[in-house]
Amino acid sequence: MDTLETRELRYFVAVAEELHFGRAAERLGMAQPPLSRAIQQLERRLGVCLLQRNRRGVRLTGAGEVLLHEGRAALDATAAAARRTRRAGGADSPGGPRNRLVLAVKAAASHELLRKLLDAYAAEPDSAEIEVLPCGICEQEELLRDGRADVALMHTPWNSLAGFDSEALATEGQVAVLPAGHPLAARETLTLADVRDVPDLPLARGAYAPGPGPEIHNQTQLAQLIALGRTVAVVPDSARSWLWAEHTAVPLTDAPSVVTHIAWPAHSRSLTLAGLVRTAARL
Protein backbone atom coordinates (compact mmCIF):
# COMPACT_ATOMS: atom_id res chain seq x y z
CA MET A 1 0.00 0.00 0.00
CA ASP A 2 1.51 3.32 -1.10
CA THR A 3 -1.33 5.77 -0.50
CA LEU A 4 -3.26 7.11 2.47
CA GLU A 5 -6.66 8.73 2.46
CA THR A 6 -7.13 12.16 3.99
CA ARG A 7 -9.92 10.74 6.15
CA GLU A 8 -7.57 8.10 7.59
CA LEU A 9 -4.97 10.73 8.42
CA ARG A 10 -7.54 12.93 10.16
CA TYR A 11 -8.70 9.99 12.24
CA PHE A 12 -5.19 8.94 13.19
CA VAL A 13 -3.95 12.46 13.99
CA ALA A 14 -6.94 13.03 16.28
CA VAL A 15 -6.27 9.81 18.20
CA ALA A 16 -2.51 10.44 18.32
CA GLU A 17 -2.97 13.96 19.68
CA GLU A 18 -5.65 13.04 22.21
CA LEU A 19 -4.17 9.64 23.14
CA HIS A 20 -7.73 8.66 23.96
CA PHE A 21 -10.23 7.11 21.54
CA GLY A 22 -13.26 8.60 23.28
CA ARG A 23 -11.95 12.17 23.19
CA ALA A 24 -10.77 11.73 19.61
CA ALA A 25 -14.18 10.44 18.52
CA GLU A 26 -15.89 13.41 20.19
CA ARG A 27 -13.48 15.79 18.47
CA LEU A 28 -14.23 14.17 15.10
CA GLY A 29 -17.98 14.13 15.70
CA MET A 30 -18.32 10.37 15.36
CA ALA A 31 -18.89 7.28 17.50
CA GLN A 32 -15.91 5.51 19.07
CA PRO A 33 -16.38 1.97 17.61
CA PRO A 34 -16.06 3.00 13.93
CA LEU A 35 -13.04 5.14 14.82
CA SER A 36 -11.35 2.18 16.52
CA ARG A 37 -12.09 -0.04 13.52
CA ALA A 38 -10.71 2.58 11.13
CA ILE A 39 -7.41 2.78 13.05
CA GLN A 40 -7.13 -1.02 13.18
CA GLN A 41 -7.75 -1.21 9.44
CA LEU A 42 -5.10 1.45 8.84
CA GLU A 43 -2.56 -0.55 10.87
CA ARG A 44 -3.36 -3.70 8.89
CA ARG A 45 -2.97 -1.89 5.58
CA LEU A 46 0.34 -0.33 6.60
CA GLY A 47 1.55 -3.54 8.21
CA VAL A 48 2.76 -1.75 11.36
CA CYS A 49 1.54 -1.07 14.89
CA LEU A 50 0.83 2.63 15.32
CA LEU A 51 -0.62 2.64 18.82
CA GLN A 52 -0.04 0.59 21.92
CA ARG A 53 -3.26 0.11 23.87
CA ASN A 54 -3.53 -1.13 27.44
CA ARG A 55 -5.54 -0.48 30.59
CA ARG A 56 -3.52 2.63 31.35
CA GLY A 57 -4.36 4.23 28.01
CA VAL A 58 -2.91 4.71 24.56
CA ARG A 59 0.60 5.65 23.49
CA LEU A 60 2.34 6.05 20.16
CA THR A 61 4.84 3.56 18.82
CA GLY A 62 7.87 4.70 16.87
CA ALA A 63 5.94 4.17 13.65
CA GLY A 64 3.04 6.14 15.11
CA GLU A 65 5.32 9.08 15.91
CA VAL A 66 6.45 9.13 12.29
CA LEU A 67 2.89 9.03 10.93
CA LEU A 68 1.79 11.77 13.33
CA HIS A 69 4.55 14.07 12.07
CA GLU A 70 4.00 13.21 8.41
CA GLY A 71 0.22 13.18 8.75
CA ARG A 72 0.08 16.70 10.19
CA ALA A 73 2.24 17.95 7.32
CA ALA A 74 0.08 16.16 4.76
CA LEU A 75 -3.16 17.55 6.20
CA ASP A 76 -1.67 21.06 6.26
CA ALA A 77 -0.63 20.64 2.61
CA THR A 78 -4.11 19.47 1.65
CA ALA A 79 -5.74 22.42 3.41
CA ALA A 80 -3.22 24.78 1.82
CA ALA A 81 -3.94 23.42 -1.66
CA ALA A 82 -7.68 23.96 -1.20
CA ARG A 83 -7.31 27.51 0.14
CA ARG A 84 -4.86 28.65 -2.52
CA THR A 85 -6.89 27.03 -5.30
CA ARG A 86 -10.03 28.89 -4.19
CA ARG A 87 -8.12 32.19 -4.18
CA ALA A 88 -6.70 31.54 -7.64
CA GLY A 89 -10.05 30.36 -8.98
CA GLY A 90 -11.73 33.65 -8.21
CA ALA A 91 -9.48 35.45 -10.65
CA ASP A 92 -10.36 32.97 -13.44
CA SER A 93 -14.12 33.31 -13.05
CA PRO A 94 -16.00 35.67 -15.38
CA GLY A 95 -16.61 38.87 -13.46
CA GLY A 96 -14.64 37.48 -10.51
CA PRO A 97 -12.19 39.49 -8.42
CA ARG A 98 -8.66 40.04 -9.64
CA ASN A 99 -5.92 37.72 -8.45
CA ARG A 100 -5.15 38.05 -4.74
CA LEU A 101 -2.20 37.22 -2.50
CA VAL A 102 -2.35 36.98 1.29
CA LEU A 103 0.78 38.41 2.94
CA ALA A 104 1.33 37.43 6.58
CA VAL A 105 3.26 39.90 8.73
CA LYS A 106 3.97 40.07 12.43
CA ALA A 107 1.83 42.90 13.75
CA ALA A 108 3.81 46.19 14.02
CA ALA A 109 7.01 44.61 12.62
CA SER A 110 8.90 45.91 9.56
CA HIS A 111 6.33 48.67 9.14
CA GLU A 112 8.44 50.92 6.89
CA LEU A 113 9.64 48.01 4.75
CA LEU A 114 6.08 46.73 4.37
CA ARG A 115 4.82 50.15 3.30
CA LYS A 116 7.56 50.45 0.67
CA LEU A 117 6.83 46.96 -0.63
CA LEU A 118 3.09 47.54 -0.96
CA ASP A 119 3.57 50.91 -2.68
CA ALA A 120 6.19 49.56 -5.11
CA TYR A 121 4.16 46.49 -6.00
CA ALA A 122 0.93 48.45 -6.50
CA ALA A 123 2.76 50.48 -9.15
CA GLU A 124 3.60 47.34 -11.15
CA PRO A 125 1.51 46.53 -14.26
CA ASP A 126 -1.08 43.81 -13.60
CA SER A 127 -0.30 43.75 -9.89
CA ALA A 128 -2.52 41.53 -7.75
CA GLU A 129 -4.55 42.57 -4.76
CA ILE A 130 -2.49 42.17 -1.57
CA GLU A 131 -4.37 41.26 1.59
CA VAL A 132 -2.17 42.01 4.60
CA LEU A 133 -2.75 39.47 7.38
CA PRO A 134 -1.29 40.71 10.70
CA CYS A 135 -0.43 37.86 13.04
CA GLY A 136 1.06 37.16 16.44
CA ILE A 137 4.60 36.27 17.39
CA CYS A 138 6.09 33.57 15.11
CA GLU A 139 2.71 32.68 13.57
CA GLN A 140 3.83 33.33 9.98
CA GLU A 141 5.19 29.80 9.52
CA GLU A 142 1.89 28.11 10.38
CA LEU A 143 -0.07 30.49 8.16
CA LEU A 144 2.19 29.70 5.21
CA ARG A 145 2.13 25.94 5.77
CA ASP A 146 -1.65 25.59 5.98
CA GLY A 147 -2.43 27.97 3.11
CA ARG A 148 -3.99 30.85 5.01
CA ALA A 149 -1.13 32.94 3.62
CA ASP A 150 0.67 32.80 0.28
CA VAL A 151 3.75 34.74 1.34
CA ALA A 152 5.14 36.18 4.57
CA LEU A 153 7.65 38.59 6.02
CA MET A 154 9.71 36.51 8.44
CA HIS A 155 12.54 37.34 10.77
CA THR A 156 15.60 35.28 11.62
CA PRO A 157 16.82 34.16 14.11
CA TRP A 158 13.25 33.84 15.46
CA ASN A 159 11.36 32.40 12.48
CA SER A 160 12.41 29.13 10.87
CA LEU A 161 12.74 29.22 7.08
CA ALA A 162 12.90 25.42 6.81
CA GLY A 163 10.76 24.20 3.92
CA PHE A 164 10.35 27.64 2.39
CA ASP A 165 12.05 29.60 -0.34
CA SER A 166 13.12 33.05 0.78
CA GLU A 167 14.90 36.26 -0.13
CA ALA A 168 16.68 38.43 2.45
CA LEU A 169 15.41 42.02 2.35
CA ALA A 170 16.90 43.92 5.29
CA THR A 171 19.26 43.54 8.24
CA GLU A 172 19.04 45.54 11.45
CA GLY A 173 20.27 45.63 15.02
CA GLN A 174 18.25 45.20 18.19
CA VAL A 175 17.22 47.46 21.04
CA ALA A 176 16.03 46.99 24.59
CA VAL A 177 12.65 48.61 25.18
CA LEU A 178 12.27 49.75 28.80
CA PRO A 179 9.89 51.89 30.84
CA ALA A 180 10.98 55.49 30.23
CA GLY A 181 11.59 56.13 33.92
CA HIS A 182 13.81 53.12 34.57
CA PRO A 183 17.50 53.83 35.41
CA LEU A 184 18.70 51.69 32.49
CA ALA A 185 16.72 53.88 30.10
CA ALA A 186 19.24 56.69 30.65
CA ARG A 187 22.10 54.59 29.24
CA GLU A 188 23.36 55.22 25.69
CA THR A 189 23.90 51.48 25.04
CA LEU A 190 23.28 48.22 26.85
CA THR A 191 24.30 44.57 26.54
CA LEU A 192 22.14 41.47 26.70
CA ALA A 193 23.59 40.72 30.13
CA ASP A 194 22.40 44.13 31.33
CA VAL A 195 18.76 43.33 30.57
CA ARG A 196 18.65 39.60 31.33
CA ASP A 197 18.94 39.87 35.10
CA VAL A 198 17.27 43.11 36.18
CA PRO A 199 15.67 42.31 39.57
CA ASP A 200 12.68 44.63 39.19
CA LEU A 201 12.19 44.21 35.43
CA PRO A 202 12.02 40.58 34.20
CA LEU A 203 12.72 39.90 30.53
CA ALA A 204 9.54 39.14 28.61
CA ARG A 205 9.09 35.60 27.37
CA GLY A 206 8.90 35.73 23.62
CA ALA A 207 11.68 38.30 23.35
CA TYR A 208 15.18 37.37 22.15
CA ALA A 209 15.94 35.14 25.13
CA PRO A 210 13.25 33.29 27.14
CA GLY A 211 12.95 35.04 30.46
CA PRO A 212 11.17 34.94 33.81
CA GLY A 213 8.76 37.70 32.83
CA PRO A 214 5.23 37.56 31.42
CA GLU A 215 4.47 35.50 28.34
CA ILE A 216 3.85 37.82 25.41
CA HIS A 217 1.37 37.01 22.64
CA ASN A 218 1.09 40.30 20.74
CA GLN A 219 2.65 43.74 20.41
CA THR A 220 -0.14 45.62 22.20
CA GLN A 221 0.21 43.42 25.27
CA LEU A 222 3.97 43.89 25.25
CA ALA A 223 3.71 47.69 24.91
CA GLN A 224 1.31 47.97 27.82
CA LEU A 225 3.34 45.76 30.17
CA ILE A 226 6.53 47.70 29.43
CA ALA A 227 4.74 51.01 30.04
CA LEU A 228 3.49 49.67 33.38
CA GLY A 229 7.02 48.76 34.42
CA ARG A 230 6.32 45.02 34.42
CA THR A 231 8.81 43.83 31.80
CA VAL A 232 11.62 44.70 29.37
CA ALA A 233 11.83 43.43 25.79
CA VAL A 234 14.53 42.88 23.20
CA VAL A 235 13.22 43.74 19.73
CA PRO A 236 14.46 44.82 16.28
CA ASP A 237 15.43 48.47 15.89
CA SER A 238 12.49 49.02 13.50
CA ALA A 239 10.13 48.38 16.42
CA ARG A 240 10.76 51.99 17.46
CA SER A 241 7.82 52.80 15.15
CA TRP A 242 5.29 51.49 17.69
CA LEU A 243 6.86 52.86 20.88
CA TRP A 244 4.77 54.94 23.26
CA ALA A 245 5.86 58.04 25.16
CA GLU A 246 6.23 55.77 28.22
CA HIS A 247 8.91 53.69 26.44
CA THR A 248 12.61 54.19 25.82
CA ALA A 249 14.64 52.16 23.29
CA VAL A 250 18.34 51.64 24.02
CA PRO A 251 20.65 49.99 21.42
CA LEU A 252 22.14 46.62 22.35
CA THR A 253 25.80 46.25 21.42
CA ASP A 254 25.99 42.43 21.42
CA ALA A 255 22.57 41.23 20.24
CA PRO A 256 22.57 39.28 16.96
CA SER A 257 21.33 41.06 13.86
CA VAL A 258 17.76 40.49 12.74
CA VAL A 259 17.26 39.69 9.06
CA THR A 260 13.84 40.24 7.48
CA HIS A 261 13.03 37.80 4.67
CA ILE A 262 10.18 37.46 2.25
CA ALA A 263 9.30 33.75 2.33
CA TRP A 264 6.94 31.52 0.35
CA PRO A 265 6.22 27.77 -0.08
CA ALA A 266 9.06 26.05 -1.91
CA HIS A 267 6.69 24.30 -4.33
CA SER A 268 4.91 27.46 -5.45
CA ARG A 269 4.50 28.00 -9.19
CA SER A 270 2.48 31.22 -8.89
CA LEU A 271 3.53 33.87 -11.40
CA THR A 272 1.73 36.47 -9.30
CA LEU A 273 3.78 35.51 -6.26
CA ALA A 274 6.98 35.58 -8.33
CA GLY A 275 6.15 39.17 -9.33
CA LEU A 276 5.77 40.24 -5.70
CA VAL A 277 9.08 38.60 -4.77
CA ARG A 278 10.87 40.37 -7.64
CA THR A 279 9.48 43.68 -6.42
CA ALA A 280 10.62 42.95 -2.86
CA ALA A 281 14.14 42.02 -4.01
CA ARG A 282 14.50 45.40 -5.76
CA LEU A 283 13.71 47.44 -2.64
Side-chain angles (χ1 to χ4, degrees), residues 204-220:
R205 284 180 283 163
Y208 167 67
E215 184 175 352
I216 302 301
H217 299 284
N218 58 62
Q219 176 263 326
T220 301

Side-chain angles (χ1 to χ4, degrees), residues 71-84 145-147 267:
R72 283 170 171 160
L75 291 173
D76 281 347
T78 300
R83 289 179 174 124
R84 292 190 177 113
R145 294 190 198 283
D146 69 11
H267 61 271

Side-chain angles (χ1 to χ4, degrees), residues 177-182 223 226-229 243-248:
V177 181
L178 307 110
H182 194 276
I226 295 173
L228 292 171
L243 296 188
W244 301 355
E246 295 90 343
H247 300 150
T248 296

Side-chain angles (χ1 to χ4, degrees), residues 5-15 27-28 75:
E5 297 179 6
T6 302
R7 175 183 57 84
E8 293 176 311
L9 288 177
R10 285 196 302 106
Y11 287 0
F12 174 75
V13 168
V15 174
R27 168 174 154 181
L28 292 165
L75 291 173

Side-chain angles (χ1 to χ4, degrees), residues 1-9 41-42 45-46 67:
M1 178 195 128
D2 295 322
T3 60
L4 291 169
E5 297 179 6
T6 302
R7 175 183 57 84
E8 293 176 311
L9 288 177
Q41 182 181 28
L42 176 60
R45 292 175 62 209
L46 289 172
L67 186 58

